[in-house]
Amino acid sequence: MPPRVPTPIRPLKKRRSVGADIAEQLQQLINDGTFKPGDRLPGQRELAQQFGTSLAGVREAISVLTAAGLVDSTPGRGTIVRSVGGAAPTFDGWLGAVGDEREFEELMQARRMLEAFTIAQATAQATPAQVGELRGAVEAMRDGMGDPDAYAEADMQFHLLLSEVAGNRVVTRLMRAIQRPMMEQLRRSIAHLKASGQLEENLATHGRIVDGIERRDLEAAQRGFDDMLAISLAFGDIP
């Protein structure tokens, strides 16, 4: 009887995420004119029903398209088509989830560098109207204090708006790319803060960031951001 030849192990084909597949289909619809610049995409729940997927997959897709600059997604306005591009939005797996504690620390290092830039730029050049928009974003956070998920979304939108006030579109796209992987950590952090009665203090730090920007006081604005991080670090998660 001839010796048994072991079956070789073959590498698995790399499978993309559901979010990447949805993003590709949505981009095709944008490219072929089904959705034109200025059009509003269907709501996320409606898209989830049409694609037969979860909301998480749709949110991931919108994040990919937003980071690529093809759409703009803001609470209250929905998702608006910004441009038509032939190149597929880039999507790397790390954007969808943080692999380990070390990677999360590296993600936070990147965020600190980006936020330091956005706060400095906003402090130097924010107009009264933009300061008003930032205060409106803080009020949206206040309105969401009873719902940790709503507060988390409003919190994320505050920091994205801050990056837009800074006026650098590339930095805004980078901020969008790193915010989505942090959403689960952000939601857990906010749940901890709410349970411990410190959510109001977290909200106040955002207000102090805006106060510093309005007064052109970079040190005060940055201190507000540092205080925000310190509060959340006590629970091992960062907003």
Side-chain angles (χ1 to χ4, degrees):
M1 182 175 180
R4 178 175 175 272
V5 178
T7 302
I9 296 176
R10 297 188 302 273
L12 295 175
K13 292 183 179 179
K14 187 176 180 180
R15 299 181 62 184
R16 300 192 311 172
S17 70
V18 171
D21 289 336
I22 295 173
E24 180 180 8
Q25 288 196 45
L26 288 175
Q27 191 198 17
Q28 289 174 352
L29 292 172
I30 292 171
N31 288 341
D32 68 19
T34 302
F35 296 115
K36 301 177 177 61
D39 285 352
R40 190 189 312 273
L41 295 183
Q44 292 186 3
R45 291 188 182 280
E46 183 179 347
L47 286 173
Q49 291 177 349
Q50 292 179 3
F51 282 109
T53 63
S54 65
L55 272 173
V58 172
R59 287 171 180 155
E60 183 180 295
I62 297 301
S63 173
V64 172
L65 294 174
T66 300
L70 297 179
V71 302
D72 184 26
S73 180
T74 55
R77 292 185 62 231
T79 303
I80 308 298
V81 177
R82 293 184 57 189
S83 65
V84 177
T90 58
F91 180 85
D92 295 319
W94 74 271
L95 288 176
V98 176
D100 52 40
E101 184 177 350
R102 175 62 183 274
E103 188 174 12
F104 182 67
E105 291 174 357
E106 293 169 350
L107 182 63
M108 291 315 305
Q109 289 173 353
R111 181 189 172 182
R112 286 188 182 98
M113 289 187 290
L114 291 172
E115 294 259 21
F117 173 85
T118 62
I119 290 173
Q121 291 296 105
T123 301
Q125 65 190 28
T127 66
Q130 289 173 325
V131 170
E133 290 177 358
L134 287 169
R135 293 205 182 280
V138 174
E139 287 306 307
M141 293 172 64
R142 184 180 300 278
D143 292 342
M145 289 186 70
D147 181 347
D149 283 345
Y151 188 95
E153 287 289 344
D155 190 343
M156 185 173 73
Q157 290 304 320
F158 170 87
H159 292 281
L160 293 177
L161 176 59
L162 183 60
S163 72
E164 291 174 359
V165 172
N168 186 306
R169 288 174 294 179
V170 174
V171 170
T172 297
R173 291 181 185 179
L174 290 171
M175 282 294 295
R176 291 183 182 279
I178 68 172
Q179 286 286 340
R180 287 295 172 181
M182 293 193 301
M183 277 304 295
E184 287 306 312
Q185 287 86 356
L186 176 57
R187 290 189 178 98
R188 289 198 297 269
S189 173
I190 288 170
H192 282 304
L193 293 171
K194 182 174 174 58
S196 66
Q198 295 194 65
L199 195 57
E200 185 73 41
E201 186 177 355
N202 174 270
L203 179 68
T205 61
H206 290 76
R208 293 202 296 273
I209 293 172
V210 182
D211 290 342
I213 291 171
E214 185 173 37
R215 298 196 309 267
R216 306 290 192 206
D217 186 340
L218 176 57
E219 183 178 350
Q222 186 63 53
R223 189 164 54 246
F225 178 73
D226 292 341
D227 290 346
M228 179 202 71
L229 289 180
I231 293 169
S232 299
L233 275 170
F235 297 104
D237 296 297
I238 302 176

